[in-house]
Amino acid sequence: MGTFIRHDACPECGSRDNLAVYDDGSHCFGCGYTVGENKEHSTSPTKGVSKSSDLIRDNSYQDLVARKIPKATCQKYDYQVTEHRGKTVHVATFRNKNNQPIAQKIRDADKNFVWVGNAKDSVLFGQHLFNQGKMITITEGEIDCLTVSSLFNDKWPVVSVPSGAQSAKKYLAANLEFLNNFDKVVLAFDMDTPGQTAAKECAELFPPGRCAIAHLPCKDPNEALLNGKSKELINSIWDAKVFRPDGILSSRDTWDILTADVDKETAEYPWADLNKFTEGIRKGELVTVTAGSGIGKSLFCKEIAYHLLESGHTVGYIALEESVKRTMQGLLSIKLNKPLHLRSTLVSADELHEAWEDVANHDRLYLYDHFGSADSDNLINKIRYMAKSLNCGWIFLDHISIVVSGIGDGDERRIIDNTMTKLRTLVEETGISLVCVSHLKRLEGNRGHEDGIVTSLSHLRGSAAIAQLSDLVIGLERNQQSDKKDTTLIRILKNRYSGVTGEACLLRYDSQSGRLLQMKHDFKVDLEEAVKF
């Protein structure tokens, strides 16, 4: 070394006066940083600190014009723009708690990243600048960190994770002791799916009430700045709501939920007496139709589907025990008031085509040509596609029992539980009305539901989940051997909407038209008693 000149701040470890400056170079007695003959090198580096020759120390700070970030913020965070291996690069320096640079992330214009130094140390970008405080904001990347800090006039703590959303939880977990020194931690992660998923995962690391998730006005903070939404960005951080696990809401957050339910779309059943009990069929509800074998469940559903189509709604129809042709015959029979499946029914080709034009030649009816396949997950995906891609608001599944039997060997109750849970979840996810047909179990004794036995929720086949997860359960009752074998009693077994249950409607099957026609009958709808209950 040459002649001593002065003590100065060390650019390596940040100490204020450990750097001894000589006329031919300089040396830091704290970290060993040494400069001689205009060439940097390191002597006896501190353990865990990368060799100085691996790091860039041009101290080339400037305004990031394209990002609207000022030089002062870049200098505070040691974010350089310099030449490296013939390219202009951005250099983000990561420092430990002793303010010693341990690693750098170098990014070129093509967004290629290279790490130099000890990148394995789990530090956050900018962490060395802060110790404790009222609030700290965490972003996904360095540019977003600089963006938020500059908008805070570099007065509030802001840090970022080194490698984006996927590894955010790992880095925050490694620095919980540091982060818990702040009264409030705000996660300002990107508004895409990976960012929001990571935000929820990271928020669960903190004590209750400590962490909040910001809802940004754009995809990320810098995009908000560039789009002139700086005020909205800052407000989104200040107003960030404290994280609660999924499913737990404050009552103060329920107004939108309350008012949204008022506008739930409702349609009517084809029979006035049934509408008195149910007040219609609503989107967002799961309706189960059940009866004994041969009572007329499929015809009952087709009458409802046809009525919805005539009212201008878009319908999906999945009939797993019959072909698409048979389903279409059933719907056209209702249009023509003639049972087309019977050989004795005479219909001209022109008459049939005219009915088809009215019922089917549009984009409001979709059917599932299943080819005998009834796999549960595959079926769920088909219903989801009908709902989300084809805008079917009303979907019929005839029937759930064949879905279960198609799965193969196993515990039937468990399979039904799982399938009904998936269907219920799907209804909530898509907002559709799902009408699902279910069989009844065989009763002990000589008589069955085909003999007109009163239906009950306890008679549903296989699992209590069908009754528990349905909003409305409709039982069809008819004695196939009596002198009134053409008469079906419609019984409401469960009615979550109004609570009214019991005998609701009488339908007569007209063999000439193939229709279910409402019979005159004065069923009392005791709303007062229902309210008392």
Side-chain angles (χ1 to χ4, degrees):
M1 289 292 179
T3 303
F4 173 77
I5 300 176
R6 67 181 185 276
H7 286 290
D8 209 340
C10 176
E12 178 79 21
C13 65
S15 65
R16 289 184 297 176
D17 56 5
N18 274 347
L19 183 72
V21 181
Y22 300 86
D23 59 4
D24 62 350
S26 57
H27 175 75
C28 179
F29 291 93
C31 67
Y33 167 70
T34 301
V35 177
E37 299 178 352
N38 296 322
K39 188 176 182 180
E40 297 179 359
H41 61 90
S42 176
T43 59
S44 62
T46 303
K47 183 178 181 181
V49 179
S50 304
K51 292 183 178 179
S52 300
S53 58
D54 292 337
L55 305 178
I56 298 172
R57 294 192 197 81
D58 289 350
N59 296 330
S60 302
Y61 307 112
Q62 63 184 51
D63 293 333
L64 304 181
V65 178
R67 298 288 189 167
K68 294 187 177 181
I69 297 172
K71 175 182 177 181
T73 302
C74 295
Q75 189 166 358
K76 176 178 180 176
Y77 279 84
D78 196 3
Y79 190 92
Q80 307 174 51
V81 179
T82 187
E83 294 294 320
H84 180 68
R85 298 179 180 177
K87 292 183 178 181
T88 299
V89 296
H90 286 208
V91 182
T93 301
F94 288 72
R95 294 174 177 267
N96 62 17
K97 62 181 180 181
N98 296 320
N99 203 21
Q100 297 170 325
I102 59 174
Q104 290 177 329
K105 183 162 66 171
I106 303 172
R107 187 185 73 169
D108 63 22
D110 297 324
K111 295 186 177 181
N112 295 314
F113 293 91
V114 176
W115 281 93
V116 296
N118 190 2
K120 292 183 179 180
D121 277 16
S122 299
V123 296
L124 306 173
F125 178 68
Q127 182 175 341
H128 65 285
L129 297 171
F130 315 106
N131 293 314
Q132 60 185 12
K134 292 184 177 181
M135 182 179 78
I136 187 170
T137 304
I138 306 175
T139 68
E140 278 192 37
E142 298 81 31
I143 291 295
D144 289 330
C145 173
L146 300 175
T147 297
V148 175
S149 181
S150 67
L151 293 178
F152 278 147
N153 295 319
D154 296 328
K155 294 181 179 180
W156 286 87
V158 186
V159 296
S160 70
V161 293
S163 302
Q166 292 183 345
S167 60
K169 183 178 180 180
K170 178 185 74 173
Y171 284 101
L172 266 59
N175 291 282
L176 275 181
E177 183 178 358
F178 161 72
L179 294 171
N180 281 326
N181 289 327
F182 296 85
D183 297 337
K184 183 178 182 181
V185 177
V186 178
L187 304 179
F189 286 6
D190 290 2
M191 295 304 297
D192 54 16
T193 299
Q196 292 305 294
T197 300
K200 291 180 180 180
E201 292 176 348
C202 291
E204 292 175 348
L205 295 170
F206 296 91
R210 177 71 55 85
C211 186
I213 299 177
H215 188 84
L216 308 182
C218 294
K219 177 182 176 293
D220 58 52
N222 192 249
E223 184 177 302
L225 172 62
L226 297 180
N227 283 279
K229 296 186 176 182
S230 299
K231 183 178 180 181
E232 292 89 335
L233 172 61
I234 295 303
N235 288 340
S236 72
I237 294 174
W238 286 119
D239 299 337
K241 294 184 178 180
V242 173
F243 169 77
R244 297 185 184 91
D246 288 341
I248 299 178
L249 297 173
S250 166
S251 60
R252 299 180 65 180
D253 299 327
T254 60
W255 176 248
D256 289 342
I257 298 174
L258 179 65
T259 54
D261 283 345
V262 174
D263 300 325
K264 186 178 290 186
E265 185 176 352
T266 303
E268 290 190 340
Y269 289 101
W271 310 285
D273 283 351
L274 185 56
N275 286 316
K276 289 180 183 178
F277 268 69
T278 62
E279 297 189 32
I281 178 172
R282 283 158 294 278
K283 284 188 176 179
E285 293 187 352
L286 174 59
V287 178
T288 295
V289 177
T290 189
S293 179
I295 301 299
K297 299 182 293 296
S298 296
L299 177 57
F300 181 81
C301 289
K302 288 187 178 74
E303 286 275 7
I304 301 171
Y306 175 79
H307 185 74
L308 290 169
L309 288 169
E310 286 290 286
S311 302
H313 299 289
T314 303
V315 174
Y317 207 96
I318 301 173
L320 297 176
E321 274 194 329
E322 63 185 25
S323 65
V324 170
K325 178 179 179 178
R326 181 66 186 87
T327 302
M328 286 305 306
Q329 280 181 329
L331 293 171
L332 294 179
S333 294
I334 297 172
K335 171 65 179 177
L336 293 168
N337 287 311
K338 296 180 180 180
L340 296 180
H341 64 286
L342 299 179
R343 288 187 177 183
S344 58
T345 302
L346 299 178
V347 177
S348 68
D350 289 343
E351 190 179 7
L352 182 64
H353 188 265
E354 184 178 348
W356 178 85
E357 285 278 356
D358 183 69
V359 175
N361 194 19
H362 49 64
D363 291 326
R364 289 189 294 105
L365 174 61
Y366 295 91
L367 304 100
Y368 176 30
D369 192 359
H370 50 87
F371 297 105
S373 172
D375 175 75
S376 175
D377 290 334
N378 181 54
L379 186 65
I380 295 293
N381 289 333
K382 295 297 188 298
I383 297 175
R384 180 180 286 108
Y385 177 77
M386 283 182 169
K388 292 192 172 183
S389 298
L390 303 178
N391 297 316
C392 295
W394 319 84
I395 298 179
F396 293 77
L397 173 58
D398 184 6
H399 53 85
I400 182 65
S401 303
I402 198 171
V403 177
V404 173
S405 64
I407 295 176
D409 295 334
D411 184 341
E412 185 183 68
R413 288 191 178 187
R414 179 182 57 80
I415 296 171
I416 291 178
D417 281 349
N418 292 340
T419 303
M420 286 301 298
T421 300
K422 291 177 183 178
L423 291 173
R424 176 78 246 184
T425 302
L426 189 62
V427 168
E428 297 296 331
E429 172 192 338
T430 60
I432 61 171
S433 174
L434 179 63
V435 180
C436 184
V437 175
S438 175
H439 283 181
L440 294 168
K441 62 185 178 182
R442 292 287 179 182
L443 301 179
E444 294 182 2
N446 297 325
R447 296 187 64 198
H449 292 97
E450 296 76 17
D451 300 318
I453 290 180
V454 175
T455 55
S456 167
L457 290 178
S458 63
H459 297 168
L460 286 165
R461 177 176 169 182
S463 170
I466 297 176
Q468 291 168 352
L469 297 175
S470 297
D471 295 285
L472 182 71
V473 180
I474 301 175
L476 279 57
E477 300 169 5
R478 178 163 64 92
N479 189 339
Q480 296 175 327
Q481 305 303 319
S482 74
D483 56 356
K484 295 182 179 180
K485 59 185 177 183
D486 61 349
T487 301
T488 301
L489 171 66
I490 308 302
R491 186 184 300 274
I492 305 301
L493 303 176
K494 178 183 179 180
N495 189 348
R496 182 173 284 153
Y497 181 75
S498 67
V500 182
T501 58
E503 298 177 348
C505 183
L506 276 181
L507 303 180
R508 180 177 64 84
Y509 176 71
D510 182 70
S511 59
Q512 297 299 315
S513 65
R515 300 292 303 276
L516 287 175
L517 307 176
Q518 180 176 299
M519 299 176 65
K520 291 183 179 180
H521 194 87
D522 186 19
F523 285 115
K524 183 182 179 182
V525 182
D526 199 340
L527 293 174
E528 184 178 348
E529 287 301 316
V531 171
K532 288 181 181 178
F533 173 78

